[in-house]
Amino acid sequence: MKKLWERITRQESPENLEAKDARLKPHMTTKDLLGLGLGMVVGTAIFTLPGIVAAEHTGPAVALSFVVGAIGAGLAALAYAETSAALPVAGSAFSWISVLFGEGFGWIAGWLMLAEYFLAITFVASGWSAYVQGFLSEFGFHLPAWLSSGYNPQTGGFFDIFAAISIILVGLLLSRKMEGVNKLENIIVILKVAVVILFIVVGFTSIKYSNFHPFIPAHKAGTAFGGMTGILAGAAQVFVAYGGFDVIASNTAETKDPGKNMPRGIIGTLIIGSLLFIGVSLVLVGMFKYTNYANNAEASAWALRKSGHMITANLLAVVAIVGMFASLIGTVLASSRLIYAFGRDGLLSKRLGKVNKHHLPGNALLVVTIAAVLVGSILPFTFLANLVSAGTLISFMFVSLGIYALRPREGKDIPVPKFRMPLYPVLPAVSALVSFIIFLELSNDAKILTFVWFIVGAIIYFGYGIRHSSVADQK
């Protein structure tokens, strides 16, 4: 047992990871990181989640769920900012925890992150499909029921063809040189932010203040609706919206001057994204009673159309359709870098850790694309929305607690970063605690899936990774 524990806690060398990642080309600036982060944040979630969460959990108080989520994510963002600046390597929490606590704990963090990223891809693709179909329906185009959504016995849905197409297109785009992809993403993000602001301004003219009453509905016993219970349940569900800075962190090895640019990108994404989410949430529930948004995956465009703002609604739908590609780019990119890190360190096949002539992990990208197409086309949208937050919250807890192992090593075998989490040693514990409290409010489906995914990961690690680890080769 002692020998097994020693193998699980064997730590990766920071210098060794940086040497391996030297094959990846640093090219991202603060502007590119903000593009990635806001591409994820101002994506499917901002156009879909405020309405769904209002109908299922909070009523008009949905903005408070985003405030709670922003507080929890903001604390974790500070931990991410310090760790990414101190350890500028690919794989974010997986690589960091492998250095700080050992490869076994790093694998757990990374494996649960993979579920987060993977479900985020399929969640975004499903939302993109809903907007495409909503837009095309205005022109009389309708898909057969079995091709219009993931598995849904009530509607006859079985395979979401548009979700599959979106994932394939993004996979092809990311197989090219990344500099061009970053420029495209930055342009798309500027358009998306402009249209979100337009929605807030135009939608504000259609607000009926009676729709805000009561702002916090009474809690319905035995449910996750109303009161503080509903707000916390809503915060747990909207955490998918705050995965943007986690996506940024996965690209640390491809960032110029990560000690300066990573904290700026991470914290900037959180602040801008939170303000936009709160604004959209307040306007949306003010336009129509929250019950109208139940199971509506294109709530923002729907509200504009119903209130007579057809031009703005169609503009929003078009930009949402184009803009969700920015979210897909970020999540597919993060997933492929994590799979690459697994292969790089020998915990999965080392073929996944190979870098091609474009300085990109092509094999990892191919695996992510194929798997996401298969799962994202079958799982229904609302099911995915409930599951994505679990991996995000667990990653936040790992990285927050990791500060306690990082700080004593700074200035020794790890450089002192340009940014450090304030109020140490209190704030890292508070950050982990807040994420844990929100995790407890997740649906039972999310908790069960997380546990099953953990068991699968443990089997892979003890059956393969622990014996093929590159850390073991160094010993």
Side-chain angles (χ1 to χ4, degrees):
M1 183 62 71
K2 180 180 179 181
K3 187 176 181 180
L4 178 62
W5 178 252
E6 289 175 352
R7 294 172 74 180
I8 292 173
T9 57
R10 55 195 177 194
Q11 296 177 351
E12 177 64 271
S13 160
E15 296 82 3
N16 186 49
L17 288 183
E18 290 189 43
K20 292 178 183 178
D21 287 343
R23 296 170 295 172
L24 298 171
K25 182 181 178 182
H27 61 275
M28 295 187 186
T29 62
T30 298
K31 178 180 65 176
D32 297 323
L33 295 174
L34 283 171
L36 270 179
L38 291 175
M40 175 68 182
V41 172
V42 188
T44 302
I46 201 166
F47 294 124
T48 57
L49 278 186
I52 290 174
V53 172
E56 294 182 353
H57 298 298
T58 66
V62 60
L64 295 183
S65 286
F66 283 102
V67 171
V68 173
I71 293 171
L75 293 170
L78 298 174
Y80 266 77
E82 175 173 350
T83 312
S84 61
L87 294 169
V89 294
S92 75
F94 160 65
S95 297
W96 302 337
I97 301 303
S98 294
V99 170
L100 298 173
F101 294 130
E103 73 168 27
F105 293 101
W107 169 260
I108 293 171
W111 184 251
L112 293 173
M113 274 176 56
L114 182 60
E116 168 202 345
Y117 289 157
F118 191 67
L119 288 168
I121 293 171
T122 53
F123 167 72
V124 174
S126 296
W128 183 84
S129 175
Y131 262 81
V132 170
Q133 293 182 61
F135 178 72
L136 292 179
S137 68
E138 294 295 307
F139 304 95
F141 178 86
H142 299 279
L143 283 171
W146 69 279
L147 285 177
S148 63
S149 71
Y151 180 70
N152 188 336
Q154 295 179 342
T155 64
F158 178 75
F159 187 86
D160 193 333
I161 187 65
F162 280 131
I165 290 172
S166 66
I167 295 169
I168 292 170
L169 289 176
V170 169
L172 290 172
L173 181 64
L174 288 175
S175 66
R176 306 300 177 183
K177 290 186 178 181
M178 279 302 302
E179 287 88 342
V181 175
N182 289 139
K183 291 178 181 177
L184 174 63
E185 178 138 8
N186 292 342
I187 293 171
I188 293 174
V189 167
I190 291 172
L191 288 173
K192 286 202 299 183
V193 171
V195 170
V196 169
I197 293 172
L198 179 63
F199 168 80
I200 293 172
V201 172
V202 173
F204 185 79
T205 64
S206 298
I207 285 178
K208 295 180 180 178
Y209 292 97
S210 60
N211 290 327
F212 289 115
H213 182 76
F215 189 66
I216 304 178
H219 174 58
K220 292 182 180 179
T223 73
F225 179 85
M228 184 54 65
T229 297
I231 291 170
L232 289 176
Q237 188 168 345
V238 303
F239 240 82
V240 61
Y242 295 107
F245 65 80
D246 190 70
V247 168
I248 291 174
S250 70
N251 295 280
T252 308
E254 295 167 86
T255 299
K256 295 178 180 178
D257 192 2
K260 177 182 73 175
N261 289 325
M262 289 304 296
R264 289 179 178 178
I266 289 171
I267 296 172
T269 292
L270 180 75
I271 293 172
I272 297 171
S274 298
L275 291 174
L276 292 174
F277 263 111
I278 292 169
V280 168
S281 299
L282 289 171
V283 169
L284 195 63
V285 295
M287 293 175 73
F288 292 94
K289 188 172 177 60
Y290 63 87
T291 52
N292 287 286
Y293 300 122
N295 299 313
N296 189 341
E298 54 146 5
S300 300
W302 177 89
L304 287 172
R305 285 196 294 267
K306 285 293 184 180
S307 58
H309 300 290
M310 296 301 297
I311 294 176
T312 306
N314 289 332
L315 178 62
L316 185 145
V318 170
V319 172
I321 289 167
V322 176
M324 285 180 191
F325 269 88
S327 301
L328 274 177
I329 288 170
T331 48
V332 172
L333 189 64
S335 302
S336 62
R337 275 26 177 199
L338 180 56
I339 293 288
Y340 152 80
F342 288 158
R344 175 200 66 193
D345 295 349
L347 298 179
L348 291 180
S349 171
K350 290 188 178 181
R351 292 182 180 179
L352 297 173
K354 292 186 179 297
V355 175
N356 62 24
K357 63 180 181 180
H358 298 303
H359 304 286
L360 300 171
N363 293 339
L365 176 60
L366 180 62
V367 167
V368 167
T369 302
I370 293 173
V373 166
L374 293 175
V375 176
S377 303
I378 296 174
L379 292 182
F381 178 82
T382 53
F383 179 71
L384 292 167
N386 279 300
L387 298 183
V388 181
S389 299
T392 304
L393 288 162
I394 292 172
S395 296
F396 286 0
M397 286 183 268
F398 265 114
V399 176
S400 297
L401 295 175
I403 295 294
Y404 293 111
L406 174 66
R407 194 64 68 89
R409 293 173 61 177
E410 291 177 354
K412 298 177 182 177
D413 63 329
I414 296 174
V416 177
K418 297 178 182 178
F419 176 89
R420 303 179 97 187
M421 189 176 190
L423 300 179
Y424 176 87
V426 175
L427 215 52
V430 173
S431 175
L433 180 61
V434 171
S435 292
F436 179 69
I437 291 171
I438 297 175
F439 178 84
L440 293 178
E441 296 298 326
L442 288 173
S443 68
N444 289 331
D445 283 341
K447 294 172 184 173
I448 291 170
L449 180 73
T450 301
F451 178 73
V452 171
W453 187 254
F454 168 79
I455 295 298
V456 172
I459 292 171
I460 293 173
Y461 176 70
F462 289 110
Y464 181 90
I466 199 169
R467 294 183 290 108
H468 295 84
S469 166
S470 59
V471 182
D473 295 339
Q474 298 165 28
K475 300 299 180 181

